[in-house]
Amino acid sequence: MYSPEKVGARFLADWITGQKPRGPEMSDAPTFDRNLENALDAKRESMSLVTRIKAIWKMGDGIDLSSNDMLSLGSSGKIRAAFLNELARNPDFPLYAGGSRLMDGNYDYVEETEQMIADFHKAKTGLIMNSGYNANLAIYSSLPLADDVNVYDELVHMSVFDGMDLSAAKTKVAFRHNDIESLRQTLRNILDNYPRVRDASNTVLISVESVYSVDGDVCPLREMVTVAREVCSKGNFAFIVDEAHATGVIGPKGSGLVNSLGMEEDVAIRLHTCGKALASSGAIILGNSTVRAALLNYAHPIIYTTAPPFHSVAGMRAAYDLLSSGATHDSQNRVQHLVKHFFQAITANPIWAKASAMGILFIPVMGEDWKDKDTYTHIVPVWTRQEYTWWLLFHLLLAHISAQPVDYPSVPKGKSRIRIIFHAANEEKQVEYLADTLCDFAREMIEIEESGETGRVPRAAQQVYVLMQGTA
């Protein structure tokens, strides 16, 4: 179907070229530039320097199994049409906001859109931000107060960590990922060691994601809220739920996990982003009027930046118009179908059972009960032995499959995996090709291991090592 020709090889060649050390060439450069290049060489040495290369699906006929366009609103042109229609309804729109939200940057359209989105999610109020990253900086830099305690799932997004670094609440405690008992023990320890939390003078803020971007699993939110009520019996806890990877994909009309569970009153703050499944940009923080007022008065990412301009807000509004009208319903169901189809295809392959038993290929998020699940997420991490992770990536790229490695520091050392993201526009034959390609890799690695040949590497890795020699 897809022959491993030029696109994957060109992508890898460009990436390898970017890993060539530059520090030795910088002896006559300004000290500032030379020191920066020496620092970058540390990443080049581990072949982890981020370069300006494009994903292979943007370079030719590669299969997009990596981008965040899960509902394919971007690739199909649906969001563009909705956006242009929204602009046509407002022909005199300005390109600028005019200042920060606290000065000249507030305007009717942004407030109307905030309330429209809040109503969609059954929230009291909303506050639009330029990005999800800035939204988390705003939340954690302004809402946790001194002597409050930040408790968080160990796999929350890096923006949460960066936000907590700015928080007045200096105590930060992680619990094991999606582990109810770990959360319970963490909360008990906090009550034992922090008198102001024990007497309910201060609050425990509990941060989770509805769908985790690196594992593709779903937060057991209802059980976590139950545990928090049991341990913090005075009610001095507040949940912050990042719905970035659930927006558009999970829940009725893509409204997210909280709406799906009917837990709007149990969660203090929700973050929804529009740059993933909604194929636009921006984010919105949902909460009550107190949360909104605190953000406007204390969050530097709001106070000291220009407000979102009209066209950015119009993109968000267009996306939510598609959600609320039911126009994305079929795409949402299509993603579910494709993930299940992938699980069916890969488990039907004759090599799967052996590869999985040997640890050469395994998919934790699938679980043994995948046939009985009602809901699948679009994110499917594929694991192999840690020393094989990059070989697996090379194998996929040279087969024209665009996938992304997830490595340290996004995950702990020794926990690398390849992340697959399914899209509504993917075809069944592409999903089957992915399953076959993964199993081809597993078959080759089993053959290598059973041969006992020391130093033997798979064919895709051989091709990449030749490219490395050519750019040395």
Side-chain angles (χ1 to χ4, degrees):
M1 176 185 171
Y2 292 93
S3 60
E5 283 185 65
K6 297 181 180 178
V7 175
R10 188 166 77 247
F11 173 92
L12 286 165
D14 290 345
W15 171 70
I16 290 167
T17 299
Q19 309 306 314
K20 183 179 179 181
R22 293 198 60 197
E25 304 170 3
M26 302 293 288
S27 58
D28 296 327
T31 302
F32 176 73
D33 294 337
R34 184 174 66 251
N35 288 345
L36 284 177
E37 288 294 350
N38 285 332
L40 289 169
D41 278 351
K43 293 184 72 69
R44 294 183 178 108
E45 185 177 352
S46 61
M47 303 296 288
S48 62
L49 183 77
V50 176
T51 65
R52 294 179 62 185
I53 56 178
K54 297 185 295 232
I56 64 171
W57 64 269
K58 292 184 175 181
M59 298 170 63
D61 62 352
I63 305 172
D64 179 11
L65 288 164
S66 58
S67 82
N68 285 326
D69 187 21
M70 288 84 78
L71 297 177
S72 300
L73 297 181
S75 62
S76 68
K78 290 179 181 178
I79 188 64
R80 183 190 306 111
F83 172 65
L84 293 175
N85 287 337
E86 184 63 22
L87 293 184
R89 285 194 289 269
N90 299 272
D92 297 325
F93 69 89
L95 285 174
Y96 65 99
S100 78
R101 290 295 293 272
L102 278 66
M103 299 180 70
D104 299 299
N106 205 26
Y107 50 101
D108 290 342
Y109 185 80
V110 69
E111 292 201 328
E112 292 166 2
T113 302
E114 286 171 338
Q115 195 57 51
M116 170 255 202
I117 297 174
D119 291 344
F120 174 80
H121 288 292
K122 299 180 181 178
K124 299 291 192 305
T125 67
L127 189 63
I128 287 177
M129 301 289 298
N130 286 310
S131 72
Y133 183 91
N134 280 339
N136 270 332
L137 293 188
I139 290 168
Y140 292 95
S141 66
S142 62
L143 301 181
L145 303 177
D147 295 323
D148 286 346
V149 175
N150 279 310
V151 170
Y152 59 95
D153 186 293
E154 62 183 349
L155 291 186
V156 292
H157 193 265
M158 186 60 69
S159 59
V160 174
F161 289 97
D162 290 350
M164 287 191 295
D165 286 343
L166 302 173
S167 175
K170 298 305 179 186
T171 301
K172 302 177 289 186
V173 186
F175 61 91
R176 289 191 299 275
H177 175 56
N178 274 355
D179 191 319
I180 305 298
E181 291 308 311
S182 179
L183 173 61
R184 188 193 307 275
Q185 191 56 52
T186 298
L187 293 176
R188 285 174 174 168
N189 290 343
I190 288 168
L191 262 62
D192 288 343
N193 292 290
Y194 294 89
R196 288 187 59 82
V197 175
R198 186 166 60 246
D199 68 15
S201 296
N202 281 90
T203 303
V204 178
L205 295 101
I206 304 169
S207 297
V208 296
E209 295 180 16
S210 51
V211 175
Y212 284 85
S213 61
V214 295
D215 274 12
D217 50 358
V218 177
C219 171
L221 184 61
R222 192 181 301 281
E223 294 84 353
M224 287 186 172
V225 171
T226 298
V227 165
R229 285 202 182 103
E230 291 173 357
V231 178
C232 303
S233 58
K234 296 180 181 178
N236 57 320
F237 64 89
F239 272 83
I240 304 173
V241 180
D242 188 334
E243 296 252 37
H245 275 279
T247 308
V249 183
I250 300 295
K253 294 185 176 180
S255 54
L257 180 66
V258 173
N259 286 133
S260 176
L261 297 173
M263 297 182 66
E264 296 87 356
E265 299 300 321
D266 300 304
V267 174
I269 301 162
R270 284 176 272 166
L271 170 61
H272 288 270
T273 63
C274 296
K276 295 181 172 63
L278 302 193
S280 49
S281 63
I284 188 165
I285 302 169
L286 303 177
N288 61 25
S289 58
T290 300
V291 166
R292 191 175 194 275
L295 288 165
L296 286 170
N297 280 274
Y298 296 116
H300 287 189
I302 297 170
I303 297 169
Y304 297 108
T305 194
T306 300
F310 184 97
H311 56 276
S312 177
V313 178
M316 296 178 68
R317 189 162 186 152
Y320 270 92
D321 280 341
L322 291 174
L323 290 185
S324 60
S325 70
T328 61
H329 177 75
D330 289 346
S331 295
Q332 196 176 343
N333 288 340
R334 174 73 175 170
V335 172
Q336 296 288 308
H337 164 72
L338 289 173
V339 175
K340 187 171 185 177
H341 188 67
F342 169 69
F343 291 161
Q344 291 170 334
I346 198 165
T347 55
N349 192 292
I351 204 66
W352 167 256
K354 184 175 184 179
S356 181
M358 292 177 65
I360 288 177
L361 205 64
F362 55 107
I363 304 172
V365 75
M366 184 167 66
E368 296 181 359
D369 61 341
W370 64 267
K371 293 181 181 178
D372 302 320
K373 288 183 178 179
D374 295 325
T375 301
Y376 305 94
T377 72
H378 50 286
I379 300 169
V380 178
V382 178
W383 290 63
T384 184
R385 299 194 201 282
Q386 286 297 292
E387 63 269 28
Y388 296 168
T389 300
W390 284 96
W391 290 353
L392 176 55
L393 178 65
F394 298 156
H395 185 88
L396 292 172
L397 292 175
L398 288 174
H400 286 200
I401 293 172
S402 183
Q404 291 289 346
V406 182
D407 206 350
Y408 177 82
S410 297
V411 292
K413 291 181 178 179
K415 300 291 185 179
S416 300
R417 74 289 305 263
I418 305 298
R419 185 175 71 172
I420 303 295
I421 297 181
F422 290 91
H423 311 85
N426 288 137
E427 303 170 4
E428 282 88 351
K429 63 181 180 180
Q430 293 175 329
V431 170
E432 293 160 7
Y433 175 66
L434 168 66
D436 288 344
T437 303
L438 289 168
C439 288
D440 287 345
F441 172 81
R443 188 176 290 104
E444 185 177 9
M445 294 313 304
I446 290 172
E447 179 188 334
I448 289 173
E449 288 192 3
E450 292 181 343
S451 74
E453 296 180 42
T454 305
R456 181 179 168 188
V457 298
R459 290 185 297 274
Q462 292 175 27
Q463 293 182 55
V464 172
Y465 295 155
V466 169
L467 289 171
M468 287 180 177
Q469 292 171 0
T471 58

